[in-house]
Amino acid sequence: PPEQAALVPADLDLVCITCPFPGNLVGALRLGAWLGAHRPGVARALGGGFPSTELRELAEPRVFDHVDYVVLDDGELPLRQLCARLEGHDAPLHNTFTRDAGRVVFAGGAGGVARVAAFTPRAPERRRACGGRGRERRPGWRRRGPGGRGRPP
């Protein structure tokens, strides 16, 4: 509709779309497709938590029918490099996926492909229901009825 086109200025160079969660991906890609149809000269970059964690090994070139760049991790340096490139400078991309000749290409910057170290959370401490260290057994705590919480006297 023309009302939607009126909301987006025509003189944009770059639109950045954040996708923090998996449920936002379809909306982000649809927005990118709309921008491509109604503002064809605008570069579209997708970033955020979901691409940074789940799209680290992006291999599907059809994503780039909807966006021009997929930025990983902290977007400050990648966006600075992307803006410099859009201004005509020969700036290398950093932690950014693009499509070149139908293939997905990753520009990892000086450090190569960005990887996240594996993280294994520790299991929380488990307390026994009876005889364990619970609030009702701490000195200075008293029980306030069945199942109630104690408070210091």
Side-chain angles (χ1 to χ4, degrees), residues 47-80:
F50 181 71
S52 293
T53 56
E54 301 300 322
L55 300 181
R56 296 191 81 74
E57 296 182 14
L58 180 62
E60 179 56 59
R62 290 181 296 175
V63 170
F64 298 96
D65 294 342
H66 307 283
V67 295
D68 301 305
Y69 305 94
V70 176
V71 176
L72 303 181
D73 301 327
D74 179 18
E76 185 176 346
L77 179 59
L79 288 177
R80 186 179 310 149

Side-chain angles (χ1 to χ4, degrees), residues 32-134:
W34 184 91
L35 285 166
H38 293 87
R39 301 288 185 267
V42 174
R44 304 157 295 169
L46 176 69
F50 181 71
S52 293
T53 56
E54 301 300 322
L55 300 181
R56 296 191 81 74
E57 296 182 14
L58 180 62
E60 179 56 59
R62 290 181 296 175
V63 170
F64 298 96
D65 294 342
H66 307 283
V67 295
D68 301 305
Y69 305 94
V70 176
V71 176
L72 303 181
D73 301 327
D74 179 18
E76 185 176 346
L77 179 59
L79 288 177
R80 186 179 310 149
Q81 299 295 90
L82 183 55
C83 288
R85 181 175 275 207
L86 292 174
E87 290 174 347
H89 303 289
D90 188 26
L93 293 176
H94 180 76
N95 281 358
T96 304
F97 284 103
T98 58
R99 177 169 58 185
D100 184 29
R103 291 182 30 247
V104 177
V105 177
F106 181 75
V113 175
R115 298 275 182 217
V116 174
F119 173 71
T120 307
R122 286 187 6 195
E125 285 186 31
R126 302 212 179 245
R127 295 187 177 172
R128 295 183 304 193
C130 299
R133 292 177 16 215

